Amino acid sequence: MGDYMVIGIVLVFVVLMSILPKTVYNAITRAFSMHKNGIRRIQKYRTTTDSIGNLMLGISIVFCIFYCFIPFYSFLYGIFFIVSYLCLLAQANRVTTKKPKQIAKTVIFLTNLFVGVSFLGALGFLNGHASVAVINQFMIDFHAHKVFNILYLLQNRTWMYWLFQGALFMFPLFIMWSHFKYMRLENSVKAVYFVTYIIKMLFLIMIVLCFSCEAFDFLDMVYQVDALKKLA
């Protein structure tokens, strides 16, 4: 029941955040717009780069690899996720300022929908928090030095749960910060045509949904968890 309540709250949040007036978006995202900070010109390659975006992508990668060694990693990830979302929303709000109202609303809605689904998927609300107990077992086995045995890797799914959960953490962060960088540098959404942007965002949402709901069941099937439970 608790997970369904959270899912409902997030969906309501997605809708509400998609219908707010422009002045409210400006007030919410002003502190996360970054302005021109971190954007620098690389003379050697005659191009520009976003140091803030690169730094946050680097932090995301490191966190999503070593997350299981960090106390309260789900809580910390949630905070980092929300900050990432607000930074992306600030750029989406900025680049659509001079766009037709319908286009601006569509960009904001797809951004909020992707973030909402990704938040629920990454933190386990779409799969009953299937990875939590298994990753805890992985950490116990790691400290007992069991995971360095090749037979352990072949017979136990715990390390694959760690990898899959890390990927589930990383995917939305990578999308958000790569879009953040592109919007800052190109002053546009990350697509050649607006229709391709819509298709791409819907495709990304479907990837998150499928991976969140089915990935761990797939691992259980590969490692024949149900069959082993029956034998036990």
Side-chain angles (χ1 to χ4, degrees):
M1 182 63 70
D3 285 358
Y4 289 117
M5 288 183 61
V6 173
I7 292 171
I9 291 170
V10 170
L11 292 179
V12 170
F13 176 82
V14 167
V15 174
L16 290 178
M17 288 298 291
S18 301
I19 61 176
L20 294 175
K22 197 75 172 176
T23 52
V24 178
Y25 286 128
N26 293 338
I28 293 173
T29 62
R30 184 176 294 114
F32 299 91
S33 64
M34 306 296 178
H35 304 291
K36 295 290 185 179
N37 297 328
I39 297 179
R40 58 189 180 87
R41 177 104 179 150
I42 303 177
Q43 296 295 341
K44 182 178 179 180
Y45 301 106
R46 296 182 180 180
T47 187
T48 54
T49 188
D50 179 7
S51 298
I52 293 176
N54 292 336
L55 174 64
M56 300 308 285
L57 275 172
I59 293 173
S60 300
I61 292 171
V62 172
F63 180 90
C64 293
I65 293 174
F66 298 104
Y67 69 92
C68 55
F69 299 96
I70 303 172
F72 310 108
Y73 64 83
S74 293
F75 177 74
L76 295 176
Y77 178 83
I79 294 175
F80 185 55
F81 188 99
I82 293 171
V83 172
S84 302
Y85 161 62
L86 290 173
C87 290
L88 175 61
L89 185 64
Q91 295 306 313
N93 180 54
R94 182 182 65 83
V95 300
T96 57
T97 298
K98 297 181 180 180
K99 299 288 185 181
K101 185 177 180 180
Q102 196 64 32
I103 291 178
K105 287 292 185 183
T106 302
V107 171
I108 296 295
F109 173 72
L110 289 175
T111 298
N112 289 329
L113 184 60
F114 172 78
V115 168
V117 172
S118 298
F119 180 83
L120 293 171
L123 293 179
F125 293 103
L126 298 180
N127 54 41
H129 308 277
S131 68
V132 175
V134 181
I135 292 175
N136 288 340
Q137 183 60 50
F138 171 75
M139 290 308 300
I140 293 172
D141 294 343
F142 180 88
H143 291 298
H145 302 98
K146 294 181 180 179
V147 300
F148 304 106
N149 188 321
I150 187 64
L151 290 177
Y152 176 90
L153 300 179
L154 294 173
Q155 296 174 353
N156 290 273
R157 74 196 196 281
T158 56
W159 69 282
M160 287 298 296
Y161 265 67
W162 162 63
L163 286 177
F164 273 44
Q165 183 61 54
L168 198 52
F169 277 163
M170 185 63 214
F171 185 76
L173 291 179
F174 175 81
I175 297 299
M176 284 192 284
W177 286 111
S178 62
H179 279 226
F180 171 85
K181 284 179 57 180
Y182 188 91
M183 290 178 182
R184 292 192 79 201
L185 297 175
E186 303 296 335
N187 294 311
S188 176
V189 295
K190 196 174 183 180
V192 178
Y193 303 106
F194 185 64
V195 65
T196 59
Y197 173 79
I198 295 175
I199 295 171
K200 181 188 73 172
M201 291 302 295
L202 293 175
F203 180 67
L204 292 175
I205 291 168
M206 289 303 300
I207 290 176
V208 174
L209 275 173
C210 292
F211 197 83
S212 302
C213 298
E214 301 298 334
F216 298 113
D217 288 337
F218 172 75
L219 283 179
D220 288 348
M221 181 187 68
V222 170
Y223 281 89
Q224 299 181 342
V225 173
D226 291 337
L228 291 174
K229 285 180 179 178
K230 290 178 182 179
L231 289 175

